[in-house]
Amino acid sequence: MIRFENISKHNGHRILFMESSAALNRGEKIGLVGPNGAGKTTLFRMITGDDQPDAGQVSVEKQVSIGYFSQDVGEMSGRSAVQEVMDGAGPVSDVAKEMASLEEAMADPSQADQMDTIIERYGEVQARFDELGGYELEGRAREVLAGLSFSQEMMDKDVGALSGGWKMRVALARILLMKPDAMLLDEPSNHLDIESLIWLESFLKGYEGALLMTSHDREFMNRIVNKIIEIDGGALNTYTGNYTFYEQQRALNEKQQQAQFERQQAMLAKEIKFIERFKARASHAAQVQSRVKKLDKIERVEPPKRRQTVMFDFPPAPRSGDDVAVLRNVHKGYGSRSIYQGFDFTIRRKERWCVMGINGAGKSTLLRMVAGADRPDVGSVTVGASVKMGYFSQHAMELLDGDQTIFETLESAFPQAGQGSLRALSGCFGFSGDDVEKRCRVLSGGEKARLVMAMMLFNPPNFLVLDEPTNHLDLDTKQMLITALGAFEGTMLFVSHDRHFLAALSNRVLELTPDGVHQYAGGYTEYVARTGQEAPGLRS
């Protein structure tokens, strides 16, 4: 269906692809993986024709329709969300436009002399519209938007009034409604809550076309894809299986390659030692020459490429008191909307609470109140003795000074710290060499998140309050954060829509529902087993 044949592509002095080949066949669901900057988006753009390889060929079968969702959604305003989604539905949306134009013409007295022709054409277009399922189109559009957590009110609202994250969902809904032969989805899981993610999983499992997608959510990827294409050092490597299989297979391949490399290095060292020892002896000249020729012909085994990964390391923090945070009789609302009424909640040392609830349930509000960034309308929030808090929020990323470099930002935050310790801190969070001179305005979402975490963790806290800490992190960085937080000895209160993160780190669940607040002993995995659902919004 779509083939990459010996493609090569440079980006400035950087090689993205070198004589690489791969294919996307009918019915396949492929996960595209590789480090940031490896060329994943470039590959999508070559399929759509927005970019071209420097050499080789990208071929797409004739008559194959392609839907491409990217993070760059462009301007949207002047129409409702549901109209915007229907407009992207492919041929049926063009037929709908012609129908609307003909309806205007039929109501125009100045076109009376052409009315027979207009009516005849309208009949043809109407039949085609019916054939393409046009009369069910609005219902299907609303169904997709509802799956992505839109309320009826939001569907009918001007899309221009929506936030960037909700506009992303509208752009995604356009592609899903279109149901093309091949779907290209670049990070479709970004900006989605768990309920929307699970609905999208179900939709994509039932989708009969070919799918090529990237995602920083390993659980989402695992449940959908049956093949992985990895971009690695200019090559396209294909693995049959899901993301976990790919990780295991890659680790096995690396282990085997390392063993081969070490065996060959030992053999080469032995041969070179013989040559050095006997090269001056005439009696061994033939043997030496024979071994030199043999070495020249040997194809060298390369050691496996080591991907640079961020290593988070939490220094030990002072011990806090047993009661880390206590909320008593908390009432909180916005305008006429009540979020909490008489809410009591205690967080004790070493507990790791994940907070679950649909959009608007009050998850971030709770974290802000505990962190002191917001106050209850009634009641009290008390942080315990010897508690040293680290608070991560998306808002903190927005407060970075765009004109400052990474290093200047750290120096401003920690004026007493030496340059050496700040450079070491930068390195721990993936900013090495000249990276520290980057200005904050050019940083990606993931880089901003890492910088805010570095600032939060420089003086180690014993209580972490984390609001969607993994939102902009790639798979490798996310795994490193999970590993580090697993070794963290303090207390945690966090919100995340990443199920792998939730399962790995929680030992308590706080569920916010319209029926009230529920507390569960045991982590996210036990919560799912007990409730039979992966998120509160899915419970009947």
Side-chain angles (χ1 to χ4, degrees):
M1 187 180 252
I2 297 170
R3 304 192 72 79
F4 305 98
E5 299 173 52
N6 295 315
I7 60 165
S8 295
K9 181 73 177 175
H10 294 72
N11 184 0
H13 296 296
R14 188 147 181 253
I15 296 171
L16 293 179
F17 304 104
M18 183 56 68
E19 297 182 353
S20 304
S21 299
L24 174 62
N25 301 312
R26 290 183 187 280
E28 283 186 330
K29 293 183 169 66
I30 298 180
L32 181 63
V33 303
N36 285 341
K40 298 188 288 290
T41 299
T42 301
L43 207 65
F44 284 137
R45 288 173 55 80
M46 286 195 285
I47 295 173
T48 60
D50 293 326
D51 205 342
Q52 299 295 327
D54 299 330
Q57 187 178 3
V58 179
S59 56
V60 181
E61 280 181 21
K62 286 181 181 175
Q63 307 302 316
V64 165
S65 59
I66 291 175
Y68 175 37
F69 168 75
S70 76
Q71 295 295 301
D72 183 14
V73 299
E75 278 303 307
M76 288 184 189
S77 64
R79 291 191 289 193
S80 70
V82 75
Q83 286 170 329
E84 191 70 43
V85 171
M86 287 165 65
D87 189 54
V92 68
S93 102
D94 296 331
V95 175
K97 284 176 192 168
E98 189 179 352
M99 266 180 73
S101 171
L102 289 166
E103 283 164 3
E104 282 179 26
M106 285 190 288
D108 184 356
S110 68
Q111 298 192 51
D113 55 338
Q114 300 171 45
M115 199 55 66
D116 289 347
T117 308
I118 293 168
I119 290 170
E120 184 182 350
R121 177 59 187 160
Y122 184 77
E124 292 167 0
V125 173
Q126 193 178 37
R128 177 65 178 146
F129 186 70
D130 189 25
E131 183 188 327
L132 289 170
Y135 290 107
E136 295 86 49
L137 189 64
E138 182 175 342
R140 283 172 45 220
R142 288 184 182 276
E143 192 180 318
V144 171
L145 284 169
L148 295 175
S149 298
F150 278 75
S151 65
Q152 292 298 323
E153 183 187 355
M154 288 172 72
M155 292 180 201
D156 294 316
K157 195 162 135 182
D158 187 332
V159 74
L162 299 174
S163 69
W166 286 100
K167 282 180 181 173
M168 289 271 192
R169 297 189 194 208
V170 171
L172 177 59
R174 280 173 65 106
I175 304 301
L176 300 181
L177 184 66
M178 179 184 170
K179 282 200 175 174
D181 298 320
M183 220 183 268
L184 314 178
L185 303 181
D186 195 359
E187 294 296 344
S189 52
N190 274 6
H191 304 285
L192 297 185
D193 51 53
I194 296 184
E195 287 83 0
S196 300
L197 270 173
I198 292 166
W199 177 87
L200 182 57
E201 273 171 15
S202 174
F203 184 96
L204 293 176
K205 282 180 192 170
Y207 166 63
E208 293 178 358
L211 172 68
L212 181 67
M213 74 169 190
T214 62
S215 177
H216 290 162
D217 187 319
R218 63 184 293 137
E219 192 62 38
F220 180 73
M221 187 103 81
N222 267 339
R223 296 184 187 200
I224 294 167
V225 305
N226 49 30
K227 189 170 165 182
I228 294 286
I229 293 177
E230 173 199 52
I231 304 174
D232 186 28
L236 291 172
N237 304 321
T238 301
Y239 296 79
T240 301
N242 64 12
Y243 185 79
T244 297
F245 173 82
Y246 149 74
E247 273 192 316
Q248 292 166 347
Q249 196 60 46
R250 180 187 166 88
L252 181 63
N253 292 352
E254 281 185 356
K255 191 176 176 183
Q256 290 172 342
Q257 190 175 343
Q258 182 67 30
Q260 273 184 290
F261 172 72
E262 287 171 3
R263 280 198 301 270
Q264 190 180 69
Q265 289 299 301
M267 181 272 290
L268 292 173
K270 189 177 174 184
E271 294 295 322
I272 290 166
K273 188 177 178 183
F274 179 90
I275 291 165
E276 289 297 318
R277 186 178 174 190
F278 294 110
K279 66 182 176 184
R281 296 190 191 180
S283 59
H284 287 73
Q287 281 177 285
V288 167
Q289 279 303 311
S290 169
R291 295 195 182 202
V292 167
K293 284 179 184 175
K294 178 184 167 187
L295 289 188
D296 287 342
K297 288 178 185 174
I298 287 174
E299 189 175 335
R300 296 296 197 266
V301 174
E302 295 292 323
K305 299 185 191 90
R306 299 291 181 201
R307 282 196 186 161
Q308 278 192 328
T309 48
V310 182
M311 291 301 295
F312 299 99
D313 187 16
F314 289 90
R319 189 186 190 280
S320 72
D322 286 338
D323 285 350
V324 174
V326 179
L327 287 77
R328 286 285 173 265
N329 191 35
V330 165
H331 292 250
K332 182 68 179 175
Y334 296 100
S336 60
R337 190 158 156 264
S338 176
I339 307 287
Y340 292 103
Q341 290 180 305
F343 176 47
D344 293 326
F345 179 47
T346 300
I347 302 169
R348 292 185 173 82
R349 192 172 71 87
K350 291 205 170 186
E351 289 181 339
R352 295 161 171 251
W353 287 92
C354 71
V355 186
M356 310 281 297
I358 61 169
N359 280 327
K363 301 186 296 293
S364 293
T365 299
L366 173 61
L367 268 58
R368 283 199 303 273
M369 289 193 295
V370 170
D374 203 348
R375 297 174 64 85
D377 301 330
V378 175
S380 64
V381 178
T382 308
V383 174
S386 305
V387 169
K388 191 173 177 187
M389 190 186 302
Y391 175 42
F392 178 91
S393 72
Q394 304 302 310
H395 182 57
M397 291 161 62
E398 295 162 17
L399 294 179
L400 293 171
D401 184 340
D403 292 327
Q404 284 193 326
T405 65
I406 289 171
F407 198 75
E408 286 168 349
T409 302
L410 292 174
E411 278 188 315
S412 300
F414 309 110
Q416 304 301 316
Q419 283 220 354
S421 61
L422 290 183
R423 286 195 178 274
L425 176 68
S426 304
C428 281
F429 284 82
F431 302 115
S432 55
D434 294 340
D435 284 346
V436 294
E437 300 307 323
K438 279 185 181 177
R439 298 208 177 275
C440 289
R441 76 162 69 88
V442 302
L443 299 182
S444 67
E447 287 171 325
K448 285 179 181 175
R450 297 206 314 265
L451 177 55
V452 170
M453 281 181 195
M455 292 162 67
M456 180 180 73
L457 299 169
F458 183 64
N459 290 318
N462 52 28
F463 178 33
L464 289 175
V465 179
L466 309 174
D467 195 355
E468 297 286 7
T470 62
N471 252 5
H472 300 277
L473 302 183
D474 62 33
L475 281 158
D476 288 337
T477 309
K478 198 182 284 188
Q479 186 55 47
M480 287 300 141
L481 179 60
I482 289 171
T483 302
L485 289 174
F488 174 63
E489 293 184 353
T491 307
M492 287 172 59
L493 174 70
F494 62 94
V495 173
S496 177
H497 61 241
D498 187 295
R499 286 159 290 173
H500 180 54
F501 188 88
L502 292 169
L505 297 172
S506 60
N507 61 22
R508 299 284 188 282
V509 175
L510 184 72
E511 182 190 57
L512 311 177
T513 74
D515 303 328
V517 178
H518 309 288
Q519 300 184 22
Y520 294 88
Y524 176 70
T525 304
E526 289 83 0
Y527 164 82
V528 173
R530 192 162 164 187
T531 64
Q533 297 289 356
E534 293 184 291
L538 300 171
R539 293 170 76 177
S540 52

